[in-house]
């Protein structure tokens, strides 16, 4: 790979706004997901807030309808994270990433079974799994609670870390059904109950996965990552995918990645992305916790000043709600008990930017209609502003 040219931080921030549809919105949730490869869904509210920040006229009812109309799939993917992805990308994610995670999860479950008080053999485990899959197929869509009624063995208790101070008991249902989802034997479908921030979903039969070569699937996933997040480094790709360094390098090569010079060293873009991009009009955005934009890179210096990290991240490295101006994180926000959006800047951005951010905050508060959204992984600034 020959060095093409130097790409500076300002140009990378411009690409972020253009590629992530933050400077000019898209017309559907599927298009919003495609713009960032996948929408993070570990926190169910993130999907709606991330899509709402990118979609034209993002009424909650519309987002709800599109999330469950078959154009999107919710699944465990890269780094065992739950994502919402365009339906055509789901097989690529499964073959490139989830299948290997599922194999590790199955080994871990068998270990827990041996240590945790359940005396199921592998044959007995397979029998319970077959029963669950059959019930899902018979009902079309079914909740975990209903499965536990129809297949009582799912309610049996598994002891995790027996004898340790952090010993815990849990019905085997959640582990086993999650594993079946990772293996693409069943898939998450519509919400079971509650509001749009509920994390409970029905399960449905999994559609057939087309035959894909794992190396080809990894190359395709990297191609999509470069289209959305490039230029980025090998370390960025390795962190985002959760792959080994060897798999990452092979996928970059297979995707035809072109090397460019970044402030942190060698980065990569697609061959068609070597030329500069036009800088978008000034834009502001309020993005939720775990939004795909700040979660796209391991090395975030080009858009996130080091001094802003402490108030915006929790101790495990999860990012909270962020305020953006022209491709930089400049503050944070929170949803207050009365439905108001509280926000704070961490640097001076000027009157024009403050006014634009204020308008975005007011629009978000109106869109939420008084609903309070609390991130699953809370950060220092979010907790302070939420009070």
């Amino acid at each position: 790979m020959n060095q093409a040219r130097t790409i500076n931080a300002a140009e990378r921030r411009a690409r972020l706004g253009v590629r992530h549809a933050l400077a000019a919105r898209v017309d559907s949730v599927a298009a919003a997901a495609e713009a960032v490869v996948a929408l993070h869904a570990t926190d169910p509210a993130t999907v709606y807030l991330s899509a709402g920040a990118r979609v034209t006229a993002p009424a909650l009812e519309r987002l709800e309808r599109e999330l469950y109309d078959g154009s999107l799939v919710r699944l465990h993917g890269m780094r065992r994270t739950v994502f919402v992805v365009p339906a055509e990308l789901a097989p690529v994610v499964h073959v490139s990433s989830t299948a290997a995670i599922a194999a590790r999860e199955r080994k871990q479950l068998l270990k827990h079974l041996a240590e945790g008080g359940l005396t199921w053999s592998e044959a007995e485990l397979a029998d319970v799994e077959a029963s669950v899959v059959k019930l899902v197929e018979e009902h079309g869509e079914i909740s975990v609670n209903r499965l536990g009624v129809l297949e009582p063995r799912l309610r049996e208790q598994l002891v995790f870390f027996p004898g340790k101070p952090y010993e815990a008991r849990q019905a085997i249902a959640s582990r086993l059904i999650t594993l079946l989802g990772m293996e693409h034997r069943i898939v998450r479908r519509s919400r079971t109950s509650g509001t749009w921030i509920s994390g409970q979903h029905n399960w449905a039969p999994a559609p057939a996965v087309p035959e894909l070569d794992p190396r080809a699937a990894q190359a395709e996933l990297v191609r999509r990552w470069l289209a959305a997040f490039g230029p980025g480094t090998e370390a960025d790709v390795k962190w985002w995918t959760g792959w080994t360094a060897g798999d990452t390098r092979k996928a970059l090569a297979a995707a035809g990645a072109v090397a460019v010079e970044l402030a942190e060293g060698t980065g990569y873009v697609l061959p068609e992305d070597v030329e500069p991009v036009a800088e978008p009009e000034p834009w502001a955005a309020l993005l939720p916790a775990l939004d795909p934009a700040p979660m796209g890179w391991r090395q975030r210096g080009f858009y996130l000043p080091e001094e802003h990290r402490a108030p915006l991240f929790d101790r495990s490295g999860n990012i909270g709600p962020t305020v953006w101006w022209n491709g930089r994180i400049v503050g944070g926000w929170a949803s207050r008990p009365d439905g108001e959006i509280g926000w704070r800047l961490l640097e001076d951005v000027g009157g024009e930017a403050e006014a634009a951010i204020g308008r975005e905050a007011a629009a978000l508060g109106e869109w939420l209609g008084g609903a309070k959204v609390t991130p699953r992984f809370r950060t220092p600034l979010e907790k302070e502003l939420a009070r």
Side-chain angles (χ1 to χ4, degrees):
M1 300 179 185
N2 296 322
Q3 291 288 342
R5 66 181 188 87
T6 298
I7 296 180
N8 61 30
E11 185 176 337
R12 293 182 76 183
R13 291 195 295 270
R15 289 173 185 254
L16 188 157
V18 172
R19 299 295 176 79
H20 289 213
L22 293 167
R25 296 189 172 200
V26 295
D27 61 2
S28 69
V29 180
E34 186 175 0
V36 290
V37 187
L39 296 171
H40 278 249
T42 302
D43 188 331
T46 294
V47 180
Y48 288 86
L49 294 167
S50 292
R54 294 169 169 87
V55 175
T56 304
L60 277 170
E61 297 80 6
R62 175 193 170 184
L63 299 185
E64 176 97 351
R65 185 173 63 253
E66 291 187 28
L67 280 167
Y68 300 112
D69 68 2
S71 63
L72 296 154
V73 176
R74 189 183 300 259
L75 78 172
H76 277 89
M78 296 67 69
R79 303 188 321 280
R80 204 184 178 278
T81 298
V82 180
F83 289 101
V84 166
V85 303
E88 68 273 11
L89 184 61
V92 171
V93 171
H94 177 75
V95 174
S96 70
S97 305
T98 316
I101 297 171
R104 294 196 295 270
E105 288 292 315
R106 178 164 289 281
K107 289 181 181 178
Q108 191 67 26
L109 179 59
L110 290 170
K111 179 182 178 183
H112 285 312
L113 284 171
E115 297 174 348
L118 282 181
T119 57
W120 293 0
S121 66
E122 288 193 46
E124 288 170 314
L125 175 62
D127 185 63
V128 177
E129 292 172 344
S131 172
V132 170
V133 172
K134 182 180 179 181
L135 286 168
V136 171
E137 290 173 345
E138 289 174 349
H139 286 77
E141 287 194 15
I142 188 170
S143 69
V144 172
N145 288 340
R146 183 62 179 156
L147 282 169
V149 171
L150 298 174
E151 175 46 85
R153 289 176 291 182
L154 288 174
R155 302 200 299 270
E156 294 196 29
Q157 296 286 306
L158 188 60
V159 180
F160 295 93
F161 310 110
K164 303 288 186 182
Y166 42 88
E167 176 182 306
R169 289 179 175 272
Q170 183 184 50
I172 195 172
S174 59
R175 284 293 181 100
L176 184 56
I177 291 172
T178 297
L179 175 59
L180 292 175
M182 287 184 179
E183 293 178 339
H184 200 68
R185 296 169 68 182
I186 57 177
V187 293
R188 290 170 178 82
R189 195 64 80 202
S190 62
R191 279 195 294 109
T192 55
S193 62
T195 68
W196 58 274
I197 60 176
S198 170
Q200 300 298 314
H201 292 86
N202 286 322
W203 290 87
V209 176
E211 290 289 335
L212 290 175
D213 175 73
R215 292 296 183 196
Q218 289 179 334
E220 175 61 14
L221 189 64
V222 164
R223 189 192 67 76
R224 293 194 182 222
W225 185 91
L226 289 171
F229 295 95
T233 66
E234 180 185 305
D236 290 330
V237 180
K238 179 178 180 295
W239 176 82
W240 187 85
T241 58
W243 298 339
T244 66
D247 284 343
T248 302
R249 294 188 191 107
K250 289 174 183 175
L252 282 166
V258 175
V260 294
E261 189 63 35
L262 306 175
E264 59 267 40
T266 300
Y268 298 93
V269 296
L270 292 174
E272 58 267 32
D273 286 341
V274 172
E275 297 305 316
V277 299
E279 186 171 347
E281 292 295 316
W283 58 273
L286 272 66
L287 299 182
L290 300 178
D291 184 85
M295 295 298 289
W297 299 270
R298 179 173 183 172
Q299 297 167 311
R300 301 178 169 103
F302 72 96
Y303 68 88
L304 176 63
E306 184 63 32
E307 60 270 21
H308 293 355
R309 292 184 62 91
L312 295 174
F313 286 79
D314 72 4
R315 293 180 179 179
S316 298
N318 300 302
I319 194 165
T322 50
V323 173
W324 293 67
W325 175 249
N326 278 353
R328 278 171 51 89
I329 292 179
V330 296
W333 65 274
S335 174
R336 291 177 171 157
D338 61 0
E340 180 187 2
I341 300 299
W343 55 282
R344 180 183 300 164
L345 295 175
L346 298 174
E347 61 183 76
D348 183 8
V349 294
E352 177 190 355
E354 281 202 45
I357 292 166
R359 289 191 294 271
E360 289 291 320
L364 177 58
E366 182 178 355
W367 183 70
L368 288 174
K372 186 181 188 312
V373 179
T374 302
R376 284 192 176 182
F377 307 103
R378 306 195 69 183
T379 54
L381 183 56
E382 184 276 328
K383 286 190 284 188
E384 182 180 348
L385 292 172
R387 293 195 292 268

